[in-house]
């Protein structure tokens, strides 16, 4: 158990620490880089969902259970839609309260309903990416623990592969958190805490390995839904604000680079039914 906790914790903190080096750059440089990181993060999230997690879910569940994987994916999309709706509602009503309430408040909708703007969506993307990343890290912890309990050497190899696999997503996440309006200190702290969710997955796998592996394919599909939703619903609409051809070519190139970073850093498959 101590080995699994140490291994999963080291992977989470190492990926967060390397990605956090970006925050140490001067503000002028960060402001110039963040829009490009959002494009890169879009590709990394889509790649993690469609190249890594979802194929692993189908492989682990078996083709005969493909419809169950699809249902888990749909459930995840609906869950994160409702989660974002809740966070948006809370954010808008907080602004309304600070502006003096629905009667005459500057942040209120004329009919007393919260009005969602692009600014609201940008601020909500930060919490959404943290929730999705936390769930993804729990899955990573389960995978590392399952590999370690099968063979310690395989566990170490899987942990190293998960680290390289997570790094591009972590770099993109830092950019998204800063883009959503978070301070550098808050972004660093929350990203580090969320990275430690892998430890929770490792502990769960240690005590309930059979049940954890049984449900792992559907958890992978649910996790892929979070990444897909964030990329398609929150990040891509923001990319459409820049319409000039040069900006579009840059965005496409960075999205492809994000996809390639996931493709080239795929962790090894686990023995048996589960693989990531």
């Amino acid at each position: 158990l101590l080995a699994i906790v140490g291994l999963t914790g080291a992977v989470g903190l190492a990926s967060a620490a390397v990605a956090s080096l970006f925050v140490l750059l001067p503000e002028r440089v960060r402001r110039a880089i963040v829009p490009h990181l959002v494009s890169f993060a879009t590709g990394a999230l889509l790649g993690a969902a469609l190249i890594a997690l979802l194929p692993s879910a189908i492989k682990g569940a078996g083709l005969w259970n493909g419809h169950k994987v699809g249902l888990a994916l749909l459930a995840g999309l609906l869950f994160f839609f409702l989660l974002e709706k809740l966070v948006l509602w809370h954010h808008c009503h907080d602004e309304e309260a600070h502006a003096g309430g629905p009667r005459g408040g500057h942040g209120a909708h004329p009919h007393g309903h919260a009005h969602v703007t692009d600014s609201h969506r940008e601020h909500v993307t930060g919490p959404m990416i943290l929730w999705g990343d936390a769930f993804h890290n729990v899955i990573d912890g389960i995978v590392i623990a399952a590999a370690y309990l099968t063979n310690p050497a395989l566990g170490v190899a899987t942990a190293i592969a998960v680290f390289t696999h997570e790094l591009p997503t972590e770099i993109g996440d830092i950019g998204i958190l800063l883009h959503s309006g978070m301070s550098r200190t808050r972004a660093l702290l929350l990203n580090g805490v969320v990275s430690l969710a892998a430890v929770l997955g490792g502990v769960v796998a240690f005590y309930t390995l059979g049940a954890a592996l049984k449900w792992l394919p559907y958890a992978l599909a649910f996790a892929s839904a979070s990444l897909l939703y964030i990329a398609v619903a929150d990040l891509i609409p923001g990319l459409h604000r820049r319409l000039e051809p040069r900006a579009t070519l840059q965005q496409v190139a960075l999205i492809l680079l994000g996809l390639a970073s996931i493709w080239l850093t795929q962790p090894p498959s686990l023995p048996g039914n589960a693989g990531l």
Side-chain angles (χ1 to χ4, degrees), residues 197-214:
V199 177
L200 175 61
V203 172
V204 168
F206 179 80
Y207 285 108
T208 60
L209 182 61
L213 290 182
K214 177 182 178 182

Side-chain angles (χ1 to χ4, degrees), residues 20-30 33 184:
S20 297
L21 293 176
F22 167 75
V23 179
L24 301 177
L25 296 173
E27 184 176 357
R28 178 178 58 84
V29 177
R30 285 188 290 108
I33 293 177
R184 289 192 297 175

Side-chain angles (χ1 to χ4, degrees), residues 14-15 34 54 67 73 116 136 144 146 187 199 225 236 256 264:
S15 58
V34 162
L54 202 55
H67 64 289
L73 179 67
V116 179
H136 189 185
I144 292 170
V199 177
I236 289 178
L256 291 174
L264 296 174

Side-chain angles (χ1 to χ4, degrees), residues 5 20-21 42 50 70 100 113 126 141 148 202 205 208 215 241 246:
V5 168
S20 297
L21 293 176
T42 300
L50 298 176
H113 301 293
Y148 187 88
T208 60
W215 292 103
R241 294 176 189 168
R246 181 178 179 181

Side-chain angles (χ1 to χ4, degrees), residues 19-20 22-23 30 33-41 122 125-126 129 168-182 187 191 235:
S20 297
F22 167 75
V23 179
R30 285 188 290 108
I33 293 177
V34 162
H36 302 301
L37 273 181
V38 172
S39 297
F40 176 84
E122 286 182 359
T125 304
I129 198 71
T169 307
E170 291 286 342
I171 294 172
D173 287 352
I174 287 288
I176 293 169
L177 293 177
L178 295 175
H179 185 66
S180 70
M182 284 190 187
N191 193 55
L235 300 187

Side-chain angles (χ1 to χ4, degrees), residues 23-120:
V23 179
L24 301 177
L25 296 173
E27 184 176 357
R28 178 178 58 84
V29 177
R30 285 188 290 108
R31 286 183 178 273
I33 293 177
V34 162
H36 302 301
L37 273 181
V38 172
S39 297
F40 176 84
T42 300
L45 291 174
L46 290 173
L50 298 176
I51 297 174
L53 295 181
L54 202 55
S56 296
I58 295 171
K59 179 181 177 182
L63 292 178
W64 53 91
N65 286 319
H67 64 289
K68 294 181 181 179
V69 173
L71 287 174
L73 179 67
L74 289 172
L77 291 172
L78 180 59
F79 173 82
F80 284 97
F81 167 76
L82 293 174
L83 177 63
E84 184 176 37
K85 186 77 73 173
L86 178 63
V87 176
L88 278 169
W89 179 87
H90 181 73
H91 183 75
C92 290
H93 281 269
D94 274 354
E95 281 196 358
E96 186 177 286
H98 285 96
R103 294 184 179 181
H106 295 295
H109 190 276
H111 301 291
H113 301 293
H115 181 63
V116 179
T117 65
D118 287 341
S119 176
H120 291 138

